[in-house]
Amino acid sequence: MNIETIGLLILAYLTGSISSAVIVCRIMSLPDPREFGSNNPGATNVLRLGGKKAAILTLIGDILKAVIPILIGYALELHSRNLGWVGFMAFIGHLYPLYFNLKGGKGMATYFGVLVTLSPVLLIYGLTTWLITAFFTRYSSLASMLTSIAVSAFGFYIDKKYFFPLFAMSLILIWRHRSNIKNLWNGTERKLTDKKMT
């Protein structure tokens, strides 16, 4: 692994550490998403706290956190195997942001950002899985977990060079959703259609 790759891995983590949810909520004078709602600084919680506009801005920001460092990796002609780990580091930065006391989101938007730049086929497969699951269940958390599992499984057969970072992200995503798993089991998980919190 050369110095360019190491530097980009560090940059990806630092980029991932920028909390779009916190920044958007501060600009729009909304409650801190780490202290209200589900206490998760992600697009779903921002949707409930501030509505669609705030959620869309958060989503775009979280996706770009992975897209930008990976695009830099393409420009530097990094090996495709290393590009997957660049995306992984952006994902880790989102979960454990350096600038926000290591209190980050659950990573799904940044995960999609990784797919956007690494594999359009896996992105389409992942988006389809998420949308179908969310449409029928209305649970963002369940859609996220099933999507990460499905993408890892599908990716193993069509694009093995990204399998290990994607599989690692899948395991971490499920771990980060452990409270949601408990809520789903108990029937107390909030749905996407739940009313906006104030």
Side-chain angles (χ1 to χ4, degrees):
M1 187 177 292
N2 58 34
I3 190 67
E4 287 182 342
T5 302
I6 295 172
L8 192 53
L9 290 171
I10 295 171
L11 177 64
Y13 171 75
L14 295 176
T15 304
S17 289
I18 300 170
S19 181
S20 305
V22 173
I23 293 171
V24 168
C25 286
R26 286 181 182 175
I27 292 173
M28 300 182 71
S29 300
L30 298 170
D32 190 325
R34 298 167 298 176
E35 299 176 2
F36 291 86
S38 65
N39 304 123
N40 176 56
T44 301
N45 195 31
V46 172
L47 173 65
R48 300 190 187 109
L49 291 172
K52 292 180 181 179
K53 181 179 178 180
I56 291 171
L57 290 173
T58 300
L59 184 67
I60 292 171
D62 286 346
I63 289 173
L64 288 175
K65 292 191 298 189
V67 170
I68 291 171
I70 294 175
L71 288 179
I72 293 173
Y74 279 119
L76 294 174
E77 298 183 348
L78 260 62
H79 191 284
S80 57
R81 180 179 62 250
N82 292 330
L83 288 173
W85 292 111
V86 169
F88 175 82
M89 289 304 294
F91 173 79
I92 292 298
H94 176 78
L95 269 56
Y96 305 103
L98 180 65
Y99 319 121
F100 295 92
N101 301 317
L102 303 181
K103 189 174 182 180
K106 295 183 178 177
M108 199 60 200
T110 306
Y111 176 79
F112 273 124
V114 174
L115 297 181
V116 165
T117 38
L118 290 184
S119 176
V121 174
L122 289 179
L123 172 66
I124 293 170
Y125 185 75
L127 279 174
T128 302
T129 303
W130 195 95
L131 290 170
I132 290 173
T133 306
F135 178 81
F136 285 105
T137 69
R138 303 301 183 190
Y139 291 121
S140 173
S141 57
L142 180 60
S144 297
M145 289 185 284
L146 290 180
T147 295
S148 69
I149 293 169
V151 168
S152 293
F154 189 59
F156 179 77
Y157 291 101
I158 70 162
D159 216 342
K160 286 187 173 67
K161 61 180 177 291
Y162 301 130
F163 172 74
F164 287 107
L166 289 176
F167 181 67
M169 282 186 274
S170 175
L171 293 178
I172 296 170
L173 270 168
I174 294 170
W175 168 252
R176 292 285 288 184
H177 282 83
R178 60 193 182 280
S179 62
N180 303 94
I181 295 172
K182 182 178 179 181
N183 291 338
L184 286 165
W185 181 262
N186 294 330
T188 57
E189 177 72 349
R190 294 185 65 87
K191 293 187 176 183
L192 286 166
T193 49
D194 287 347
K195 292 182 179 179
K196 174 182 168 182
M197 301 177 193
T198 56

